[in-house]
């Protein structure tokens, strides 16, 4: 499974009403650390398959959702389960740490 994209308009349907846990990567084009963790998220998405959905939300293009969840610095990863925020990870981290965080939360 590849990492998908969500926007202000699709966030509710794709994240809050999703079946199963969803990790949202709040990022932007100009953010170096965001680009650093992108390949790791792709790999984790492939490894975990249907256990978790990983999506990206560009904070520049979708300011409403970023503001709603109080995103102050990026990358910020949030894990939602059944429409509720279950866990949050701020800042870039190595793939092993990201995978451990996602697996523990799922």
């Amino acid at each position: 499974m590849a990492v998908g994209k969500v926007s202000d308009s699709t966030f509710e349907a794709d994240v809050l009403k999703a079946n199963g846990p969803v990790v949202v990567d709040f990022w932007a084009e100009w953010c170096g650390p965001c680009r650093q963790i992108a390949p790791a998220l792709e790999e984790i998405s492939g490894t975990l398959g249907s256990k978790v959905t990983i999506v990206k939300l560009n904070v520049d293009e979708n300011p409403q959702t970023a503001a709603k969840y109080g995103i102050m610095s990026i990358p910020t990863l949030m894990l939602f389960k059944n429409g509720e925020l279950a866990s949050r990870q701020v800042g870039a981290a190595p793939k092993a740490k990201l995978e451990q965080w996602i697996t523990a939360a799922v």
Side-chain angles (χ1 to χ4, degrees):
M1 281 177 69
V3 172
K5 289 189 171 145
V6 293
S7 63
D8 283 345
S9 58
T10 63
F11 191 84
E12 186 175 353
D14 291 351
V15 177
L16 302 182
K17 293 186 174 165
N19 290 325
V22 180
V23 173
V24 182
D25 172 18
F26 291 87
W27 75 291
E29 290 285 349
W30 48 264
C31 166
C34 298
R35 291 200 304 272
Q36 279 177 329
I37 65 168
L41 291 175
E42 290 281 354
E43 286 175 34
I44 293 166
S45 181
T47 306
L48 294 177
S50 59
K51 288 191 199 129
V52 65
T53 302
I54 302 178
V55 296
K56 297 163 83 78
L57 182 128
N58 185 317
V59 297
D60 289 340
E61 295 168 2
N62 304 284
Q64 285 175 312
T65 305
K68 181 178 175 186
Y69 290 100
I71 304 299
M72 293 298 171
S73 63
I74 52 173
T76 293
L77 300 171
M78 290 188 174
L79 191 139
F80 291 85
K81 280 185 184 165
N82 303 319
E84 299 290 319
L85 176 59
S87 187
R88 166 193 288 236
Q89 156 88 33
V90 179
K95 181 190 168 200
K97 186 177 177 205
L98 291 173
E99 194 160 14
Q100 186 181 9
W101 171 74
I102 292 169
T103 307
V106 171

